[in-house]
Amino acid sequence: MSLRQVSQAFVAATGAALLLLTSSAVAHSAPYEEEVTVDPTGTVTSDGTITLSGTYRCLSGTGPVFVSSSVSQGDPRVRHGIGGTSALCDGAEHRWSNSETRKDAFTPGAAHVEATVMELSGGGLPMPRFHASRRQDITLTEV
């Protein structure tokens, strides 16, 4: 094999590798990825009702799908589950909102939220399948 043939083969292989990397990057940046967001503010009322919200997008689900959320305020080792909303996995973006009443558990101010889109799937004993998760600092405001 001549030096010219080796050089041409190298250029062709490099081009193919770059094409694969580029198409992979495009596939991962597509607008239809599964995701969940958390709004930067949540609310807490005088009776202790906390409400968290955001958006989600999931592509498909064969079992029941939910958006669950939890919040911590103060001690990050202590997390409180805040509701669970049924989710529709159709590729479109949807809003979610979860509320829970816990007298004297939360105050206006900084908090840390985790939201997860989870499906119960499989035959027999349902197993969790996670579609998307997000952790985010937010501010709780009094309403």
Side-chain angles (χ1 to χ4, degrees):
M1 187 181 271
S2 72
L3 180 60
R4 181 181 178 144
Q5 289 172 321
V6 170
S7 176
Q8 288 173 339
F10 176 77
V11 169
T14 303
L18 286 174
L19 181 62
L20 284 174
L21 287 172
T22 302
S23 64
S24 176
V26 169
H28 289 296
S29 63
Y32 296 109
E33 287 185 28
E34 297 186 315
E35 66 178 346
V36 62
T37 68
V38 177
D39 291 339
T41 59
T43 61
V44 62
T45 63
S46 58
D47 75 346
T49 301
I50 182 172
T51 301
L52 307 172
S53 58
T55 64
Y56 74 91
R57 177 192 326 266
C58 52
L59 301 179
S60 65
T62 57
V65 182
F66 303 93
V67 179
S68 64
S69 58
S70 63
V71 65
S72 64
Q73 193 174 40
D75 187 348
R77 298 172 296 171
V78 178
R79 303 194 63 75
H80 300 275
I82 306 298
T85 302
S86 293
L88 176 62
C89 290
D90 62 359
E93 184 176 270
H94 300 278
R95 297 276 314 153
W96 66 269
S97 178
N98 293 339
S99 295
E100 184 98 12
T101 301
R102 296 182 182 231
K103 189 72 173 153
D104 300 323
F106 304 105
T107 58
H112 186 77
V113 171
E114 182 172 354
T116 303
V117 179
M118 187 218 36
E119 174 183 355
L120 295 176
S121 64
L125 180 64
M127 298 299 292
R129 176 177 169 239
F130 298 98
H131 290 261
S133 184
R134 164 87 44 109
R135 293 179 180 171
Q136 183 173 320
D137 291 328
I138 70 162
T139 302
L140 292 176
T141 57
E142 188 170 7
V143 292

